[in-house]
Amino acid sequence: MTQPPDGTPPRRVRPTSDSSATDTLPFWRRPVEIIRDDSRVFLVLNVATYGLFVLGFAAGLLFPGLSQARATTLEDDGTAALVGSVFDRPPLFALLILAVNVFRLSLLTIVVPSLIVPFAGLAFFGYWLVQTGVTLVPGSPEGRVALIPHALTIVIELQAYILVALGVFLIGRYWIRPDAARVTQRRQGYLTGLRATGSLALPALALLVVGAVWEAYSLRYFVHPLSQWLL
């Protein structure tokens, strides 16, 4: 890099993602480009997501009453009964898991609040992560065995939510700072963020499908043999 004529040191310009260039890519390449353009944000979201989950899990281990309270809540609100009614039918169980993960968590918890208030869904997502960490603390030896196959479910599903979270982060950033999306109006920035979220939703949905199928079948068919072998 050459020096400017006046001798002042050159300034480093941080590259920004070009949303128009991303939009011209085939749909299967857009998520990769979005993640590559915002790799630092993606990394921070990964660290924060798994960190908050581990924080909740650690809190549940240190304070067993928290996990017991969550178990009681799931019993009282009918969640445990609903899961029990479909547990022996893995295809239906997987559909139930997928519906909850897509509509209640991805859409209602993360996306919809962020369409009204920038980044609001990220706060709700963070709260859910801590709460879920507390909930998944096992209360029995069989529960500890169930965590072995369920650990993969956690990794898969959290990766899906991280993609959704990246999308709503971009909505908020482009909404507040349209120049980050190389547009001039907030409305244009908002729409650019929506398009990015839509692109990221495709791999997120694929991960949620895989996670739901694995969760339903692993809990139904793997936990009991593992318990007999390990306990």
Side-chain angles (χ1 to χ4, degrees):
M1 182 180 295
T2 59
Q3 291 279 350
D6 60 0
T8 57
R11 292 182 298 173
R12 293 184 178 273
V13 179
R14 182 180 180 273
T16 57
S17 58
D18 189 341
S19 60
S20 60
T22 302
D23 290 342
T24 61
L25 294 172
F27 72 90
W28 62 85
R29 288 185 54 191
R30 292 174 192 171
V32 177
E33 290 299 316
I34 293 170
I35 293 171
R36 186 168 65 179
D37 289 340
D38 292 281
S39 57
R40 185 176 301 177
V41 176
F42 184 68
L43 177 61
V44 170
L45 286 173
N46 270 273
V47 173
T49 295
Y50 291 105
L52 288 172
F53 174 82
V54 171
L55 178 64
F57 194 87
L61 288 174
L62 292 173
F63 305 100
L66 294 175
S67 297
Q68 294 169 4
R70 284 296 302 155
T72 301
T73 299
L74 294 176
E75 290 282 350
D76 293 342
D77 66 11
T79 300
L82 178 60
V83 171
S85 67
V86 297
F87 181 80
D88 290 333
R89 291 170 286 177
L92 188 57
F93 190 20
L95 284 175
L96 175 63
I97 294 168
L98 182 62
V100 170
N101 291 346
V102 170
F103 294 104
R104 191 176 73 179
L105 184 59
S106 298
L107 289 177
L108 296 181
T109 301
I110 303 176
V111 175
V112 172
S114 302
L115 300 180
I116 303 170
V117 178
F119 312 115
L122 297 179
F124 290 119
F125 178 45
Y127 174 78
W128 176 87
L129 286 167
V130 175
Q131 187 180 61
T132 301
V134 171
T135 303
L136 291 182
V137 172
S140 65
E142 291 78 10
R144 288 190 286 273
V145 172
L147 277 181
I148 297 174
H150 199 60
L152 181 58
T153 303
I154 295 169
V155 172
I156 293 172
E157 292 182 351
L158 290 189
Q159 277 300 311
Y161 302 141
I162 289 168
L163 291 173
V164 178
L166 176 59
V168 301
F169 174 85
L170 294 177
I171 291 175
R173 185 172 70 179
Y174 294 160
W175 192 0
I176 295 172
R177 294 180 52 235
D179 59 296
R182 298 188 178 182
V183 295
T184 57
Q185 299 178 357
R186 294 184 187 275
R187 179 177 177 275
Q188 293 174 319
Y190 184 86
L191 294 176
T192 300
L194 281 179
R195 286 195 294 270
T197 303
S199 296
L200 292 168
L202 296 175
L205 179 60
L207 286 171
L208 289 177
V209 170
V210 172
V213 172
W214 169 255
E215 182 175 0
Y217 281 86
S218 64
L219 291 179
R220 176 64 180 86
Y221 294 112
F222 291 173
V223 174
H224 181 65
L226 278 175
S227 298
Q228 290 186 320
W229 181 40
L230 296 174
L231 299 179

